[in-house]
Amino acid sequence: MGNIIKYLDKTFDESAIKSGNPYYARSLLSSSLEIDAFSFEVTSDDTTLTQFQRNTPLTYFHDDTQMGTFYVQKISRENINTYRFDCTSTVGLLDESYHNGGIYTGQTVDEVVTDICSPYLVIVKNNIKSIKLYGWLPIATKRENLTQVLFAIGATLKVDYNGVIRIEGLWDSQSAEIDADHMYSGGSVEYATPVTQVIVTEHAYNQTATETVDLFEGTASAGDKITFDEPCYDLVADGFRITESGANYAIVTAGSGKLTGKKYVHTTRQVIKDIAPKTRDLIDQSDSVVKVESATLVSLANSNAVADRLVNYYSCNERIVSDVLVQSESPGDVVSIVHPYGGTVEGCIESSDITMSKKLKSNETVLVGYKPQNIGDVEYYDKSEILTASGNWTVPDNVTSVRAVLISGGQGGLTGEKGEDGKQSNQGGTGGAGGKGGEGGNGGRILQSTLNVNPGDTFAITIGIGGAAGVNGTDTTFGSLSTASGASSPNGFTDPFTEVTYAAKGKNGMEGGKGGDGTKSETATRASNGADVLSFIGGQGGNYEYKKRESGTHAGKSGYAGGGGGGGAANGGNGEDGNDGMVDWVDSITGYGPGYHCIGGAGGDGGAANIPPEKESVPGQGGIGGAGGGGGGGGGYPRGTVPSADWVGTGGSGGSGGPGGAAGDGCVILYYSQPKEGSLGGAFRDKNNKLFLDKFGRQLVV
């Protein structure tokens, strides 16, 4: 009986233990992962105690009830036969190694927690293990990343007496009674400043980036780990190889070169909820806001539940701090406790600072009025529906919360530009550039709202129609909600469950083909052909013509005329052929006498973009921009070496741009929770309301 500590092959009993102080704490919000601690002093003649191995486990018992397993961090010799042990809990071990983090797109809590805690054994309760996670974890300690997971789902960590980690929800029913016989006098009550509002930021990460960024440049040694502050994908190495990689890092071989990639597009949204504290009325209370901004596993799927949990917690601002005789309660338990100023209240234990003696005395902090949520009752969104037709939607059974994402019809793509006209030049005219494709239309307007609903409620739906070329789409409505109150985003909205992106900006239209260049040449050179576009053909360049006098007064004199370049093609039209150059001898040129008449070939006209892009099929997607027209061919340049009349070939006209494509129609995406397996209800009691304990003194639960 009494206090016993077992360490390796040694047992320290009441006669050897001089003092001790176990400390237990639990964040009721799961916003931190407390490291329980145990410090004690013993008398011993064993001088080898200081030759310890760090993280060796020891076990503490009180009255044959196991109070916990701890890991030795330091043993110091206080005097000739007194030794002090400083120990930590399993959470302390998780704080000593790192986890690579990553992007999560629906991996389960069981998968992620097992990965984080490896090589330590972990058991995740059935009502938690299948919850899916979305978001990002950085490279951080195992403790930090596990805390992020627990916060996202409202769970807690406990350690079995065999050292196995358990992930479960806090009990939501009473586990113990702290009556007057178990309380010391002198307890106090603390009142925190009431919180009036919580703001929770939800995060989303998607692969819609188009720009490649440099992540590393230089010389690497074999096995070097290159890390990123922001998650990246599509990693490419030049000068060395990637042997292992994730969203936050790449391990490379030796070499000198560059590592590039694309950064995930990170979007955020705030969930805002007001609080009316339970414990006292507020009169002229100034605003006190709690913000949660860096919990990157808070996503569309769980942000509303996280905000509700914070409201539940911060609506309680009264704490009892009192010394009590320890029974079987522990932090996280709901207890009935005598209020220092009269009456009995219910609350939840946040911390327990124990002083070891024959009867354990603990300074406990109890948050009055707080009861943890039953994870089995929390509506984490795990089901989605996409509605693409007008009509009505009825709330399914057991659903009381819905996230509605409304997307209007997108904007039609803009008209493509006319191709550039071909040029004239004494070096042969250059062909005109193909017209730029029209800009893609803006994605549909997006409106998100979280609704409290009742099973059987019906909502009328109108789906917006995608706009024609250059025209905005019409609004989508869901009950009283309308996308008229929303806004477009260049990145659109990415469904975290399917990774499909809706309502993004449309693609720009394709450019028209460049016109071919005209020629200036005394050799057998043909003018350039216009560029092809898809199945449409650029025009052929015109032939040059060259003539030379073989006899007579002007024997040996010549003239030439370059051909015109072919017109560039466009999506919907071929480019026209360039004209041939022409050279003729004439008996008289005004003011000069006989000579050459040289005419440069005209450039061919660019093709017209006559085929509009197809209507977008992705809901809310902006229409594709119209294609640009083909560029006109450059004019050929003529010249004679005797008096001549030269006409420079004109450039061809650029082809007209085409109309933009129609945008995608709108939609409504609904997220809600499917019924889940219920969680444990609390401590099991007999007909006399007494707690049942197992052989280790642990509470049995139902």
Side-chain angles (χ1 to χ4, degrees), residues 413-438:
L414 304 185
T415 300
E417 295 183 6
K418 174 183 176 295
E420 187 179 43
D421 293 341
K423 303 294 190 298
Q424 296 176 330
S425 169
N426 59 9
Q427 298 299 316
T430 56
K436 292 182 179 180

Side-chain angles (χ1 to χ4, degrees), residues 36-169:
D36 295 340
F38 184 29
S39 298
F40 61 91
E41 291 186 354
V42 295
T43 57
S44 175
D45 295 327
D46 185 356
T47 58
T48 66
L49 286 176
T50 56
Q51 300 172 16
F52 68 97
Q53 183 172 348
R54 191 167 175 268
N55 292 333
T56 300
L58 59 78
T59 309
Y60 166 47
F61 298 87
H62 177 75
D63 289 346
D64 293 331
T65 298
Q66 186 169 330
M67 302 295 290
T69 297
F70 298 87
Y71 299 87
V72 176
Q73 300 301 298
K74 182 172 68 172
I75 300 177
S76 54
R77 194 172 184 179
E78 302 294 290
N79 57 46
I80 191 167
N81 64 349
T82 301
Y83 297 86
R84 175 184 172 89
F85 285 66
D86 290 298
C87 311
T88 188
S89 63
T90 304
V91 175
L93 303 183
L94 295 175
D95 208 34
E96 295 184 351
S97 56
Y98 281 80
H99 177 247
N100 283 324
I103 289 288
Y104 298 94
T105 56
Q107 288 81 359
T108 65
V109 168
D110 191 41
E111 293 171 325
V112 178
V113 166
T114 300
D115 178 56
I116 292 174
C117 293
S118 178
Y120 305 109
L121 294 177
V122 60
I123 296 175
V124 182
K125 282 298 183 70
N126 287 336
N127 63 329
I128 296 175
K129 67 193 317 178
S130 61
I131 295 175
K132 295 181 179 180
L133 297 171
Y134 302 88
W136 171 63
L137 288 177
I139 296 177
T141 67
K142 292 177 182 288
R143 176 192 176 200
E144 289 170 327
N145 278 354
L146 183 57
T147 300
Q148 289 255 36
V149 175
L150 298 183
F151 180 75
I153 64 174
T156 191
L157 177 147
K158 296 183 179 180
V159 181
D160 281 338
Y161 296 140
N162 58 4
V164 175
I165 297 170
R166 284 187 293 125
I167 304 299
E168 60 184 40

Side-chain angles (χ1 to χ4, degrees), residues 228-243:
F228 327 131
D229 293 332
E230 299 176 76
C232 299
Y233 65 101
D234 284 355
L235 304 181
V236 176
D238 182 16
F240 43 75
R241 291 185 299 105
I242 299 172
T243 60

Side-chain angles (χ1 to χ4, degrees), residues 86 184 270 367 514 631:
D86 290 298
Y184 292 83
Q270 289 185 330
L367 181 59
K514 180 184 181 301

Side-chain angles (χ1 to χ4, degrees), residues 194-198 273-282 285 288 310-317:
V195 174
T196 57
Q197 189 180 76
V198 296
K273 298 205 173 188
D274 295 327
I275 301 177
K278 299 176 182 177
T279 53
R280 54 182 174 169
D281 294 333
L282 296 180
Q285 173 66 47
S288 176
L310 266 64
V311 168
N312 184 37
Y313 177 82
Y314 284 110
S315 63
C316 305
N317 66 311

